[in-house]
Amino acid sequence: MPRRTKLAPRKTPTQERSRATVDALVQATADLLVRDGYEKLTTNRVAERAGVNIASLYQFFPGKEALVAEVRRRHVEAQQVAMREAMTELRGQGLEATVRALVSMGVAAHAVNPKLHHALTEELPARVSRVGQPEEDPVLAEARKVFERLSVGVEDMERALWMVDTVAHAVIHRGVIERPGDLASGALTEELVTLLLRYLRRR
């Protein structure tokens, strides 16, 4: 079976009852992933926790990889929806306000169910952790519009967006794990905003 097929749901539920079954399976997967980790996760345990017959599980998902991929897809999607809505409110704002808002939104996104976020970013095999990452991040697309309007001091906008996204994600993600106190106090936010502004304002 091709790897992509293993990571994709078998079918999309159309009826309310089927959607409720899939939601229960995804939630059970997230709960078990946080509690016991990826290696101990099995389809039988997911079905039991969700109160779903194992045959019903296999109607929608070919295995645990597809279940976890769906958990990750929903997690990423929820974060992006919230950040995209906030980004639209920043139109017309200056560079510092935009960068500060982006960093603050990233911190807030990581603060929602941090144990699940840690499990999805630290414990999954690479083949699963890459699933659900869109080719065109709508948040970065909105940030591009802001940076272009403000004429930030970068030569390559695509590379600059990658730098901002990569640096911010790495600092916030490791801060959640290694320096939660600095993250909670806002110290890391201030340091990260300073770093990104110096990068974007250079000529």
Side-chain angles (χ1 to χ4, degrees):
M1 182 180 294
R3 175 178 295 175
R4 191 67 188 173
T5 302
K6 286 185 178 181
L7 295 176
R10 289 189 188 277
K11 63 179 181 179
T12 301
T14 56
Q15 298 181 348
E16 183 176 349
R17 183 176 179 180
S18 297
R19 289 195 293 269
T21 297
V22 169
D23 289 345
L25 289 168
V26 173
Q27 185 59 55
T29 302
D31 293 342
L32 291 171
L33 188 64
V34 168
R35 191 181 74 182
D36 301 324
Y38 180 80
E39 292 301 322
K40 294 183 179 179
L41 187 72
T42 67
T43 52
N44 283 326
R45 295 186 67 201
V46 170
E48 180 181 2
R49 184 173 181 85
V52 174
N53 186 284
I54 189 67
S56 296
L57 182 154
Y58 284 120
Q59 285 183 356
F60 297 102
F61 298 97
K64 79 171 188 176
E65 288 184 334
L67 280 162
V68 174
E70 179 62 14
V71 171
R72 190 185 189 286
R73 186 194 68 78
R74 293 188 182 195
H75 182 70
V76 170
E77 184 179 75
Q79 290 182 338
Q80 289 188 340
V81 167
M83 293 184 73
R84 188 165 62 248
E85 290 176 352
M87 279 296 295
T88 60
E89 299 178 2
L90 290 171
R91 292 174 182 173
Q93 297 294 314
L95 181 61
E96 182 172 350
T98 299
V99 170
R100 186 174 297 279
L102 282 170
V103 171
S104 297
M105 286 186 288
V107 171
H110 282 67
V112 176
N113 203 341
K115 291 183 178 179
L116 177 60
H117 186 86
H118 174 75
L120 292 173
T121 54
E122 293 294 316
E123 298 183 14
L124 301 190
R127 64 184 181 276
V128 180
S129 64
R130 285 193 296 265
V131 174
Q133 297 180 7
E135 295 182 3
E136 180 70 18
D137 187 329
V139 177
L140 291 183
E142 190 66 31
R144 176 193 292 272
K145 296 177 184 178
V146 174
F147 292 166
E148 288 175 345
R149 175 177 59 81
L150 296 172
S151 300
V152 297
V154 297
E155 296 179 358
D156 187 318
M157 182 62 69
E158 182 180 358
R159 184 171 62 230
L161 286 168
W162 181 87
M163 287 289 293
V164 170
D165 182 55
T166 301
V167 171
H169 183 270
V171 171
I172 295 170
H173 172 65
R174 291 190 63 180
V176 170
I177 300 169
E178 300 173 11
R179 306 188 72 89
D182 284 343
L183 199 65
S185 70
L188 280 187
T189 295
E190 293 304 317
E191 296 286 348
L192 183 54
V193 168
T194 298
L195 186 153
L196 295 177
L197 284 175
R198 288 181 178 175
Y199 168 70
L200 291 169
R201 284 172 171 166
R202 79 194 197 284
R203 294 291 178 182

